[in-house]
Amino acid sequence: MITKMIKYAIFCSCIILAVSISYANTTTDPSLTAISARSIGMGGVSLMIDDSTAVFSNPAGIANIRDWQVSGTSMTLLTEIKQNIASGAIKTQYGTFGFGYVNASLGGSFGTMRDNSNLGRIVQNPSVPAMGFDDSTTILTYARKIDYKGDLSLGLNLKFVSQSISGSSDVSSRGTSTNIDLGMLYTPEFIPWLKTGVSLQNALLQDLRWSGASNAQDSTGGFLKAGASAKIFGDTNLVGAFEFDIPRQAASSSSLIKSGLEWKYSKELSLRMGLEQRNSATGLNFGIGLEKNGFRFDYAFRGGAVGEDTSHIFSLSFAPEPEAPKPAKNTYFLHLTSPSNMSAVTGETVMFNGKVSGADVIKSIKINGKYVMPFVSKDLFSVYYSPISEGINVLTFEAFVGSPEAVSVSAECRVLRTPGIKDVPNNYFAKSDVELLNALSFMKGYEGGVFKPENPISRAELVTLLVKAKGVSVESLPETVSFKDMKGHWAAKFAAIAAKEDLAKGYPDNTFKPAKKVSRAEASVIISRFSGFAAEKPAYLQYIDVPIDNWASGNIAAVKKAGLVNYISGEYFVPKKEITRGEVAHMLVRTPIVSSQIKKLFSESMVKTEPASVEILQMIPPPATHETTFNSIIVEGKLLSAEADSVLLNSQKLTIISPDRSFIKALTLASGENTVEIQALDKKKNVIKDLTFRIKKP
Amino acid sequence: MKFFRLSVYFLIATCLLSNFVLALSFTFEATVAGSPIINNDCIPSSPLINVMITTTLPLNIPATKMSIDNNPVTPVVIAESATKYSVSYQVTSPLSDALHSISLEATDGTNTDTWEATGLRVKTAGAVEMLAIPLNYPNPFDPATGTAISFYLTRDSNIQINIYDVSGNLIAKKVCASGAAGGKAGYNEVLWNGINDSGNFVGNGMYLYFILSGSDMIGKGKMVAFR
């Protein structure tokens, strides 16, 4: 398709060139060479321009503007000719519409005569008024993007050329003509870094017709332009372009080559250079563009063979910047990962980890309205908070995210502070689960305050645990011995209830085997039944070592789906492995019966009022030494006492924000040890509070 | 007799009257370096001065006295015809950069006439300059008939005339060698035929021309094509 189009374009061009050979008088259409400072800086390449000034060189270019744009250029050519250019374009649902206006004027040409008293030499004729000339073109443009493989834009100009000669009545006249330009830009689908373009200026080659003192007809000529631009080395900030201009009945017969580069150094600064071939000279052009808040100022230097042909060109454009999408509150979600909501913690100071989904940057965090110092990396945070009181603590986390406007998102986290269990370390995966079940008296420890989390659990222990969790009172039940090996056993009643409730059936030989260690598969079956999960055979393999026809596959699939075994990563369930007490605690906490009891526990908490602070600073720093992989820490706090006047962070003064006298500063953490020193000063610059902590980053 | 007497008287009166009317006079046409000059022109430093004397009556070679800056020089006088004489002098010692005068006196012993040109500028030092603004004639001009661009140079120089349209495009060029027409000290005229580099006549409008010596622009003008 493209090959056909190119062949067609070449064919049309040949026809037009062939029929354009004539010896008509040739005048100038200023729009043929009206280009902006940006184009001149790029060696005069204007065919590939995609702003409103494209109306002059390739109307298809305006199809790429985002919303609307206006531009103006003023220059003085050859120290005498004033040229002014204005253009604009606006994108609508029907395509992009544009306009362009260019005017060039020259005056002060005197009438002359021969002085016969002085050898017939040429002298000025004082009786003839000075003559002036004005040449302008008005353009109306339409461009549209076309659905095609790749990015295709087509454009059309309707042009009105008007010239006038002023002076005596013998010369005062006006000439007008109408013409059209056609243009195309195309980026192939599989070569997104390349853009090609072609433009036929003054396609109709209509003559300019004079009226008034003259009734002459002049040809305005035109150009066939072809060119391309490419993102160099895939770098979208560096673009190279070239253009080939073939004149058609133009004032000059020379074909011209132009080439240039534009480097967008930053959002605000662009640098340009190019080699421009003109019929008067070939030389290097340079340009610079400055952009801010939608305004763009372009300057270009164009050298000439003659000093007077050197030009300084200035352009000013405006295009509204796209509005930054306002972040919607409901696109952010604050999620506390550890400890999670309704979990157990130990100690007065607890580190909370969390994430704000949808956020690019976390600006600050408050907990219960207090300024804290979170470690942050993009949407993740880690923050210490104290004091955590004994019992239930209700913490409201408020995170401020987003840029440039910050949006707050909050979440509540309830934690139970427990005294801790000796043999359950802080980093044990089921620490919170064990602490909660201990607090609920569902799963107590052993004498000596140990829990033995890695010990296996027997069938008797498990069914007792589950029956108690169900809240069944066994004391009032009559002694019932269902199994022949449970007579006199301490768990006989629990085993009987478990069998009756279908939690754990006995063996075919009517035994219960109370001391038998429970495997993962068995635990999954029992706990699945305890939870009331349907035990349908799964449609596909859940674990490599649990075939679909395995006796426990349905229950295993059920507990997996309910999130009870999310501590098992990988593809192996190891169904015959003896389940540990810690694993059972983890599963039980997540069953509907136990989790609702946990919820009830947390909902019945009393909200504790914190005593009034007599501190100088409100700040909750991390411990004196801390290791983290986060990129930065937000140092945040508030001056409390009237005595405190200012705050220094690593000897740098922080801005105190009214009215709550808070301060905030994001500190980037370097690899190695980072020392953070915060000092509160009084009005006399005396240090009244000093706090230092060290953060190690690998 | 009376008639004869009247005839003689008439004849004598006629002769006397003829002598009065046909008293010898001289007309001078002076050129310097081949170009006609007038007062205040620029001339080269070692020009060939030629004054063509035309007499109203046939004459043997008139006696001439030529002076440059009031210093007598010895010209070469050649009779072109009975009434036309060429008086030439080649300046061999270059004239200084200053204003000079040339005078010529011709006499037949009875009638004497003089010609003088003053304020002749010689300027060899420094870059070539243009005296007064360039003008073209006719202005406005019909491209079909062309126009002559005139300018004064302080000395001989290689000259290029660039012609631009109102969009700043260079549309035509004229090149003149030093010492030839268009590159001579003094008054020059260069004809432009109104045709641009594409081989087409220019259309109605104003055109800017730069007169260049090397890459230096020494003068510029504006001309209007109109038909």
Side-chain angles (χ1 to χ4, degrees):
Chain A
M1 173 77 178
I2 291 299
T3 308
K4 280 187 186 171
M5 286 172 71
I6 290 173
K7 282 182 184 171
Y8 181 74
I10 293 172
F11 173 74
C12 289
S13 303
C14 291
I15 296 293
I16 290 163
L17 282 169
V19 300
S20 69
I21 297 171
S22 86
Y23 299 96
N25 290 62
T26 309
T27 187
T28 305
D29 171 4
S31 70
L32 298 181
T33 51
I35 54 176
S36 63
R38 182 183 174 205
S39 292
I40 293 172
M42 289 180 68
V45 176
S46 56
L47 180 68
M48 314 308 296
I49 289 294
D50 55 1
D51 57 33
S52 66
T53 60
V55 299
F56 299 109
S57 52
N58 185 350
I62 66 166
N64 293 305
I65 68 159
R66 200 167 36 227
D67 192 355
W68 60 270
Q69 188 184 57
V70 291
S71 177
T73 302
S74 180
M75 63 178 105
T76 301
L77 303 172
L78 301 168
T79 71
E80 289 281 346
I81 305 168
K82 307 280 181 216
Q83 187 177 74
N84 296 303
I85 303 169
S87 63
I90 183 166
K91 198 176 192 98
T92 72
Q93 59 180 318
Y94 306 108
T96 307
F97 294 88
F99 79 90
Y101 176 77
V102 54
N103 173 265
S105 59
L106 195 55
S109 178
F110 301 103
T112 55
M113 60 184 186
R114 286 203 182 272
D115 183 357
N116 292 325
S117 65
N118 264 330
L119 303 176
R121 290 184 178 179
I122 299 169
V123 296
Q124 192 174 326
N125 186 345
S127 64
V128 176
M131 293 170 282
F133 180 66
D134 195 272
D135 192 358
S136 64
T137 303
T138 305
I139 299 175
L140 299 175
T141 309
Y142 174 73
R144 192 179 180 92
K145 282 190 175 288
I146 305 295
D147 277 333
Y148 186 68
K149 292 176 190 174
D151 187 2
L152 175 65
S153 305
L154 299 176
L156 168 74
N157 276 349
L158 185 59
K159 295 168 63 167
F160 307 94
V161 181
S162 171
Q163 297 181 354
S164 65
I165 299 175
S166 60
S168 68
S169 57
D170 292 338
V171 298
S172 291
S173 48
R174 175 175 292 277
T176 57
S177 81
T178 308
N179 223 313
I180 63 170
D181 296 340
L182 304 170
M184 180 184 85
L185 286 173
Y186 179 64
T187 297
E189 187 179 14
F190 298 109
I191 318 176
W193 48 266
L194 177 70
K195 184 160 69 173
T196 60
V198 67
S199 167
L200 190 61
Q201 294 179 307
N202 289 351
L204 303 178
L205 291 176
Q206 291 279 13
D207 285 347
L208 188 93
R209 293 170 193 271
W210 288 87
S211 61
S214 170
N215 59 0
Q217 274 181 233
D218 294 329
S219 165
T220 52
F223 278 95
L224 172 66
K225 289 174 175 272
S229 66
K231 293 169 189 170
I232 295 175
F233 307 124
D235 182 352
T236 57
N237 292 331
L238 182 61
V239 174
F242 83 90
E243 178 181 311
F244 195 56
D245 296 348
I246 304 168
R248 302 157 55 231
Q249 284 189 19
S252 167
S253 61
S254 307
S255 296
L256 304 169
I257 298 176
K258 300 165 183 181
S259 58
L261 289 171
E262 181 179 60
W263 177 33
K264 205 165 175 66
Y265 175 77
S266 67
K267 187 173 172 255
E268 290 82 16
L269 178 65
S270 298
L271 301 173
R272 306 175 187 116
M273 67 177 285
L275 191 65
E276 183 180 13
Q277 182 188 29
R278 294 186 288 150
N279 46 22
S280 57
T282 296
L284 277 178
N285 297 352
F286 301 94
I288 187 169
L290 300 169
E291 206 163 332
K292 187 81 177 168
N293 297 334
F295 285 96
R296 192 181 79 214
F297 170 76
D298 295 303
Y299 162 77
F301 169 82
R302 174 196 249 166
V306 182
E308 287 69 16
D309 197 18
T310 298
S311 304
H312 301 276
I313 301 98
F314 304 92
S315 297
L316 187 63
S317 310
F318 177 77
E321 288 183 322
E323 280 186 17
K326 286 199 171 78
K329 256 190 162 173
N330 58 6
T331 64
Y332 299 114
F333 181 72
L334 196 160
H335 176 63
L336 289 149
T337 52
S338 70
S340 56
N341 187 26
M342 290 193 276
S343 58
V345 297
T346 55
E348 190 184 44
T349 301
V350 174
M351 186 171 83
F352 291 85
N353 298 290
K355 176 176 173 166
V356 182
S357 303
D360 284 331
V361 61
I362 298 174
K363 291 193 163 180
S364 71
I365 290 181
K366 284 186 185 177
I367 301 177
N368 285 356
K370 288 185 188 175
Y371 294 98
V372 293
M373 292 195 201
F375 295 93
V376 294
S377 280
K378 204 171 177 283
D379 59 349
L380 301 173
F381 67 88
S382 178
V383 62
Y384 283 95
Y385 184 77
S386 67
I388 300 291
S389 310
E390 289 182 0
I392 303 289
N393 292 258
V394 179
L395 304 174
T396 302
F397 284 75
E398 191 178 13
F400 295 87
V401 300
S403 179
E405 289 177 28
V407 174
S408 80
V409 56
S410 53
E412 189 179 87
C413 181
R414 294 182 178 225
V415 294
L416 168 68
R417 180 179 167 185
T418 59
I421 299 172
K422 260 196 290 198
D423 61 343
V424 180
N426 283 338
N427 59 357
Y428 187 67
F429 80 97
K431 176 180 167 60
S432 172
D433 306 318
V434 169
E435 301 272 0
L436 282 173
L437 291 181
N438 192 43
L440 285 169
S441 299
F442 285 172
M443 206 167 170
K444 288 240 180 246
Y446 295 99
E447 231 177 85
V450 292
F451 186 81
K452 298 183 184 174
E454 289 299 298
N455 277 16
I457 191 169
S458 67
R459 280 168 55 85
E461 287 171 330
L462 181 58
V463 299
T464 302
L465 178 60
L466 295 179
V467 168
K468 282 184 180 175
K470 268 204 162 189
V472 175
S473 170
V474 299
E475 281 74 24
S476 61
L477 291 174
E479 184 75 25
T480 309
V481 179
S482 300
F483 303 100
K484 57 186 182 186
D485 60 345
M486 291 302 286
K487 190 172 181 177
H489 195 281
W490 62 269
K493 285 190 183 179
F494 295 102
I497 294 167
K500 184 180 169 209
E501 298 272 336
D502 249 355
L503 293 180
K505 298 176 178 148
Y507 289 92
D509 60 355
N510 198 31
T511 56
F512 189 78
K513 295 187 174 47
K516 185 174 178 286
K517 304 301 179 203
V518 179
S519 70
R520 275 187 174 172
E522 287 172 327
S524 298
V525 172
I526 295 170
I527 294 175
S528 170
R529 289 173 182 166
F530 169 78
S531 304
F533 294 155
E536 290 172 7
K537 290 282 183 204
Y540 53 89
L541 212 60
Q542 302 292 300
Y543 296 99
I544 291 174
D545 54 353
V546 181
I548 292 175
D549 59 359
N550 182 282
W551 67 275
S553 67
N555 298 99
I556 291 171
V559 299
K560 184 185 179 189
K561 187 178 172 187
L564 271 57
V565 290
N566 56 9
Y567 64 92
I568 298 176
S569 58
E571 299 170 307
Y572 292 89
F573 187 72
V574 198
K576 293 182 180 174
K577 179 180 181 287
E578 289 176 353
I579 196 165
T580 65
R581 286 166 53 79
E583 288 177 75
V584 169
H586 183 86
M587 290 178 74
L588 272 184
V589 161
R590 286 156 181 76
T591 58
I593 293 171
V594 175
S595 72
S596 71
Q597 296 194 36
I598 292 172
K599 279 182 192 166
K600 198 174 163 193
L601 168 70
F602 278 95
S603 66
E604 286 172 355
S605 69
M606 295 287 290
V607 177
K608 294 180 177 57
T609 306
E610 291 188 21
S613 174
V614 295
E615 288 290 332
I616 294 168
L617 284 177
Q618 185 209 77
M619 231 170 33
I620 303 178
T625 54
H626 178 77
E627 190 163 327
T628 184
T629 56
F630 281 85
N631 295 333
S632 54
I633 178 172
I634 299 176
V635 175
E636 205 175 356
K638 187 164 91 168
L639 295 177
L640 289 176
S641 76
E643 185 192 1
D645 181 62
S646 57
V647 173
L648 299 180
L649 168 63
N650 288 348
S651 304
Q652 297 283 332
K653 193 173 177 185
L654 296 182
T655 305
I656 304 298
I657 303 165
S658 299
D660 64 350
R661 304 180 77 211
S662 63
F663 55 87
I664 181 169
K665 176 84 177 166
L667 204 62
T668 304
L669 298 171
S671 297
E673 190 163 283
N674 297 263
T675 300
V676 181
E677 185 182 24
I678 302 163
Q679 294 172 311
L681 309 179
D682 63 12
K683 287 187 173 66
K684 291 181 184 172
K685 307 297 176 207
N686 297 318
V687 176
I688 55 175
K689 174 85 177 178
D690 195 314
L691 173 74
T692 302
F693 52 93
R694 288 179 176 74
I695 302 164
K696 200 169 171 186
K697 185 179 171 190
Chain B
M1 190 60 180
K2 191 178 179 183
F3 177 75
F4 176 73
R5 203 180 291 134
L6 283 172
S7 300
V8 170
Y9 290 151
F10 178 75
L11 190 63
I12 293 169
T14 302
C15 288
L16 286 171
L17 189 63
S18 299
N19 279 337
F20 182 75
V21 170
L22 295 177
L24 186 69
S25 64
F26 302 92
T27 306
F28 302 92
E29 290 175 38
T31 62
V32 173
S35 298
I37 56 164
I38 56 175
N39 290 339
N40 305 316
D41 267 354
C42 289
I43 60 172
S45 58
S46 300
L48 171 64
I49 302 168
N50 180 272
V51 182
M52 191 68 74
I53 302 174
T54 304
T55 59
T56 51
L57 292 173
L59 187 67
N60 287 327
I61 294 177
T64 57
K65 287 182 191 171
M66 182 181 272
S67 305
I68 297 177
D69 297 332
N70 296 320
N71 297 317
V73 296
T74 308
V76 173
V77 183
I78 298 171
E80 302 278 341
S81 69
T83 56
K84 236 179 177 60
Y85 301 90
S86 164
V87 180
S88 305
Y89 178 74
Q90 174 65 58
V91 174
T92 50
S93 297
L95 301 170
S96 62
D97 281 6
L99 297 178
H100 301 276
S101 61
I102 303 171
S103 62
L104 178 68
E105 181 188 277
T107 182
D108 65 347
T110 305
N111 305 289
T112 302
D113 233 335
T114 56
W115 167 85
E116 190 181 25
T118 59
L120 301 174
R121 182 192 301 270
V122 170
K123 187 178 184 299
T124 57
V128 61
E129 293 172 12
M130 186 162 292
L131 301 178
I133 60 167
L135 295 168
N136 68 294
Y137 179 83
N139 192 44
F141 69 97
D142 184 335
T145 54
T147 187
I149 299 170
S150 68
F151 48 92
Y152 291 80
L153 296 176
T154 53
R155 62 174 172 82
D156 293 353
S157 175
N158 291 320
I159 292 294
Q160 179 172 307
I161 303 175
N162 285 358
I163 301 169
Y164 303 89
D165 65 16
V166 77
S167 291
N169 300 312
L170 177 66
I171 59 165
K173 242 187 304 200
K174 300 289 289 185
V175 177
C176 310
S178 175
K184 295 197 290 192
Y187 181 79
N188 290 267
E189 280 192 15
V190 177
L191 181 67
W192 178 43
N193 58 8
I195 294 176
N196 61 28
D197 282 348
S198 302
N200 298 319
F201 287 111
V202 296
N204 286 359
M206 193 178 288
Y207 298 86
L208 185 63
Y209 58 90
F210 282 0
I211 299 172
L212 310 169
S213 171
S215 60
D216 296 326
M217 188 198 72
I218 56 173
K220 60 182 174 183
K222 301 163 202 172
M223 52 188 171
V224 174
F226 176 86
R227 70 198 196 285

